[in-house]
Amino acid sequence: MWEARAAQGRGAELLEWAAARAGELDPEPLRGELLRAPQDRVLVLTWWDAAYDADLPELPEPEAGLTARPVHRWRFESLGPTGG
């Protein structure tokens, strides 16, 4: 999971940047999803068929000035779907 908050007034630009970088991941993830949230936050989720500690490609840091703070990255391990 990759999450960043855009610098003031640059939300659309960060969203476009993240979408382009996600499309360049090599190898490609099994699935990827691009999300946005209030305060110009952008989230990229990727699903991989790999071990938790596998060496996988990640989105890079955006250019200076595009984000309001450093990018956050987290890895999660799927435990399967929820009931319901």
Side-chain angles (χ1 to χ4, degrees):
M1 185 173 93
W2 180 99
E3 187 265 342
R5 183 173 176 187
Q8 183 68 33
R10 298 187 75 183
E13 187 179 350
L14 179 61
L15 189 60
E16 184 178 315
W17 180 93
R21 298 299 88 69
E24 296 170 352
L25 292 174
D26 186 23
E28 292 182 20
L30 293 174
R31 177 178 168 207
E33 193 166 341
L34 182 65
L35 300 103
R36 67 178 172 190
Q39 301 176 335
D40 288 330
R41 289 177 294 163
V42 175
L43 179 68
V44 178
L45 298 174
T46 53
W47 284 259
W48 302 90
D49 184 15
Y52 180 82
D53 59 352
D55 185 24
L56 297 170
E58 295 195 29
L59 273 69
E61 290 287 327
E63 65 192 49
L66 186 55
T67 58
R69 58 166 169 72
V71 169
H72 296 298
R73 291 179 178 90
W74 298 277
R75 262 195 196 183
F76 293 88
E77 179 179 22
S78 176
L79 302 176
T82 61

